[in-house]
Amino acid sequence: MKLVLREALLTFQRAPLLSALSVTTIAFSLFVVGLFGLVAVNLQQALSEVAERVEIVAYLLPGTPVETVTMAVKDIEAFPEVQSATYVTEDRALARARAELVEFRDVLQELERNPLPASLEVKLKPGFRDADHVNDVADRLRGFGFVDDVRFGRDWVEKLDRLRQLAAAVGLVVGAAFAVVAIIIIGTTIRMAVLQRSREIAIMRLVGATDGFIRRPFLLQGAIKGMLGGLVAVGLSFAAYTLINRWLFHAAFFSREQASAIVAFGTLIGFFGSSASVGRHLRRV
Amino acid sequence: MIKFTGVFKAFPKSGLALKDVSFHIAKGEFAFLTGHSGAGKSTVLRLIYAEEPVTSGEVRVSGFNVAEISRRDIPKLRRRLGIVFQDFRLLEDRIAEENVAFALEVTGARRAGIAARVMRVLTQVGLAAKAKAYPRELSGGEQQRVAIARALVNEPTVLLADEPTGNLDERATRGVFQLLRDINASGTAVVMATHDLDLVRQAPYRVIELQEGALVYDSGVDEPRDQAAST
């Protein structure tokens, strides 16, 4: 094992230029994937911020006793889809209207009687903010005897659904394409490293090295290059993110897990790319 | 030790390289493989170390049936052989002792003993003083000595040498040839392919001569070799 590690590391020392080139190529290939990932992450976040505004409002019949409503709020909050249910009394509705609708302040001041109904504002948990679940919860709210009417932006929620599906499909297709391109480029780079050492491989075989012995340092070296490339790619992505954040708009960066996934992806491509290249080379000689 | 029985070797493009070749080289023997370029000398050696598959016939080397050897067994076969080439085939980015140690490391030899064994063979080939030199810092003859040391370090039963003096001047040639004779004297069989007839005449060793892939003369079984040497 020590020998494998030594041989793998010596390659960086013996062929520093080619090694640096490999790492750079891997880094930039993964950087492209990373940039796309950043776009996806930010799109995802923007959509979920929009989705947070998905809300169902159940208007209550006038004169519904507070105790009844309080009981109902408990029931509703027990729905698996529901994040929170807030009781808005007639008075609070009016106060809110006065505060928010400044242009109608005069009209609202002169009212003799509060025309606004009390309501329940129901917010859904993150995974349930789509048209189907919203409809479902709205239907159940209508089942309460004291609920007069249930409103939510149906068109808006459906549009949001379509947007989400589109983003997921584009993300999958473009992301996969980028990943495939990265795999091909990285595979070619590793193949170059193998060809560069073909003479050495031939000599190793002549003196009785087994295929496994020849292969192992390459696999380790491929994995190390892939890992370094992945780290550099995350670094470049972070630099891009910092620039965008400073000059363009407020953006989000990868979570720790997502950044680790990029590095792991690089390591795996490096490992399996080397395995394929060396395997092919060994079968041919 | 090495036994060829009715061996044919055909290449897809160039056709038959060996035609019905049979010979037997005993343990500890020294044999020259002679013939013009393209006569099949290198092909015989390549079949011995399983670099090329045998087309038909039987090749037995050191207990291995090479015609049917599995890929897995090839390294085991090669560890019993030492192989030396005209172009040395040293790793340019490693010093002499690393080039020799390399042949031990790939066999999974214990690290502790490697340095001592490397020094011993380098001393045997007369290069102990240049153990730290890179191949480019050595003369052709010295590089070939490093290659011979690498071939010897695994204590092979047979040393195969493919035109080992082809790139060397006369003085270096004599030195390397003497080294091969010494190695043979210590019990290792040597099969040396060469077209240097002067060298062949210098020593009383067996001569196997190939012509266009066919064995035309074998001093081990035929009449005195002066006949062949003069052709």
Side-chain angles (χ1 to χ4, degrees):
Chain A
M1 186 60 218
K2 247 163 91 182
L3 183 68
V4 173
L5 188 66
R6 197 194 75 193
E7 285 293 320
L9 295 179
L10 271 180
T11 307
F12 289 96
Q13 193 189 324
R14 293 202 176 107
L17 201 68
L18 191 67
S19 300
L21 194 70
S22 306
V23 173
T24 312
T25 311
I26 294 172
F28 275 92
S29 306
L30 290 176
F31 176 46
V32 174
V33 177
L35 273 188
F36 175 74
L38 267 188
V39 172
V41 163
N42 278 284
L43 202 62
Q44 198 72 40
Q45 193 173 23
L47 280 172
S48 69
E49 270 166 24
V50 173
E52 252 171 51
R53 286 191 233 150
V54 170
E55 191 181 58
I56 308 169
V57 182
Y59 292 101
L60 310 183
L61 289 170
T64 309
V66 178
E67 302 79 47
T68 315
V69 180
T70 320
M71 292 270 285
V73 164
K74 278 203 181 120
D75 283 354
I76 294 165
E77 279 185 331
F79 288 0
E81 303 93 335
V82 171
Q83 186 173 40
S84 68
T86 314
Y87 176 36
V88 180
T89 60
E90 286 104 333
D91 290 347
R92 257 198 66 207
L94 185 64
R96 211 195 264 174
R98 281 184 177 141
E100 288 173 11
L101 306 172
V102 184
E103 54 274 47
F104 297 113
R105 188 173 285 159
D106 293 345
V107 184
L108 292 168
Q109 290 295 0
E110 287 162 16
L111 286 174
E112 288 174 12
R113 195 176 59 83
N114 181 358
L116 299 176
S119 63
L120 283 175
E121 291 174 357
V122 178
K123 282 192 183 264
L124 300 185
K125 287 178 186 161
F128 298 102
R129 291 164 185 164
D130 56 76
D132 285 350
H133 287 102
V134 169
N135 267 320
D136 196 33
V137 173
D139 281 346
R140 263 181 278 161
L141 290 178
R142 280 192 195 97
F144 286 95
F146 54 81
V147 169
D148 183 23
D149 191 11
V150 176
R151 298 244 175 117
F152 61 89
R154 181 189 296 272
D155 285 355
W156 185 75
V157 171
E158 281 170 1
K159 262 183 203 154
L160 184 65
D161 264 13
R162 276 202 297 277
L163 203 59
R164 262 197 291 233
Q165 282 160 3
L166 188 71
V170 170
L172 204 69
V173 172
V174 180
F178 278 154
V180 168
V181 169
I183 289 172
I184 292 171
I185 292 176
I186 294 169
T188 312
T189 310
I190 290 170
R191 180 118 193 85
M192 269 166 57
V194 172
L195 288 177
Q196 189 235 0
R197 294 183 60 197
S198 60
R199 194 182 131 83
E200 190 176 341
I201 292 175
I203 294 172
M204 286 170 100
R205 286 175 55 87
L206 277 179
V207 296
T210 58
D211 287 352
F213 181 89
I214 297 171
R215 193 180 281 123
R216 281 191 288 271
F218 276 103
L219 300 189
L220 185 62
Q221 189 197 330
I224 293 174
K225 282 180 183 170
M227 189 181 70
L228 289 176
L231 287 171
V232 174
V234 170
L236 287 172
S237 302
F238 187 75
Y241 152 80
T242 311
L243 286 178
I244 291 170
N245 228 3
R246 179 176 301 169
W247 301 109
L248 296 172
F249 52 84
H250 180 71
F253 193 61
F254 300 121
S255 65
R256 194 176 287 259
E257 290 78 19
Q258 287 164 332
S260 309
I262 292 178
V263 178
F265 182 58
T267 312
L268 285 178
I269 298 181
F271 184 85
F272 287 109
S274 298
S275 171
S277 280
V278 182
R280 211 170 73 175
H281 187 78
L282 285 176
R283 275 194 300 279
R284 289 205 318 208
V285 294
Chain B
M1 176 100 308
I2 298 177
K3 193 169 185 209
F4 274 50
T5 313
V7 174
F8 285 82
K9 173 63 192 173
F11 288 105
K13 284 182 185 155
S14 52
L16 268 184
L18 292 181
K19 299 168 198 160
D20 196 16
V21 172
S22 301
F23 61 83
H24 177 227
I25 294 170
K27 201 171 170 185
E29 196 172 0
F30 194 121
F32 285 114
L33 270 177
T34 65
H36 298 291
S37 340
K41 305 186 293 287
S42 296
T43 306
V44 166
L45 295 182
R46 290 164 74 85
L47 292 187
I48 294 174
Y49 63 85
E51 182 71 6
E52 293 286 348
V54 178
T55 304
S56 77
E58 195 180 65
V59 175
R60 288 195 170 271
V61 179
S62 209
F64 288 90
N65 180 356
V66 180
E68 288 168 13
I69 196 166
S70 68
R71 195 180 167 83
R72 183 178 285 273
D73 282 336
I74 291 176
K76 293 182 195 153
L77 165 71
R78 290 184 181 166
R79 288 174 196 185
R80 298 212 192 157
L81 307 172
I83 313 172
V84 178
F85 297 93
Q86 180 173 0
D87 59 356
F88 322 133
R89 303 207 187 166
L90 299 175
L91 296 170
E92 298 297 328
D93 54 7
R94 298 181 200 219
I95 58 175
E97 66 178 11
E98 285 172 340
N99 264 287
V100 178
F102 184 69
L104 277 178
E105 285 164 354
V106 302
T107 64
R110 281 189 311 113
R111 284 192 67 74
I114 288 180
R117 285 171 74 178
V118 168
M119 220 44 212
R120 199 160 59 229
V121 285
L122 280 175
T123 308
Q124 190 183 345
V125 301
L127 267 187
K130 303 214 167 168
K132 306 284 180 200
Y134 282 96
R136 61 172 179 277
E137 296 163 350
L138 298 171
S139 70
E142 288 168 335
Q143 289 189 54
Q144 192 59 292
R145 285 167 186 271
V146 176
I148 291 171
R150 181 181 65 194
L152 286 180
V153 76
N154 273 315
E155 293 163 9
T157 48
V158 185
L159 185 77
L160 304 174
D162 193 355
E163 301 277 4
T165 59
N167 274 351
L168 306 180
D169 61 29
E170 207 193 319
R171 191 158 160 265
T173 295
R174 263 186 279 126
V176 164
F177 183 50
Q178 187 54 48
L179 180 58
L180 293 177
R181 295 181 72 167
D182 294 345
I183 290 163
N184 176 244
S186 65
T188 307
V190 176
V191 182
M192 174 172 170
T194 182
H195 56 252
D196 185 345
L197 290 179
D198 286 342
L199 212 61
V200 174
R201 287 196 195 99
Q202 272 179 39
Y205 296 135
R206 178 172 171 190
V207 179
I208 297 170
E209 186 182 346
L210 294 164
Q211 227 170 58
E212 290 174 3
L215 194 154
V216 294
Y217 173 74
D218 183 347
S219 69
V221 290
D222 294 348
E223 301 85 65
R225 50 183 272 253
D226 287 344
Q227 270 182 337
S230 60
T231 54

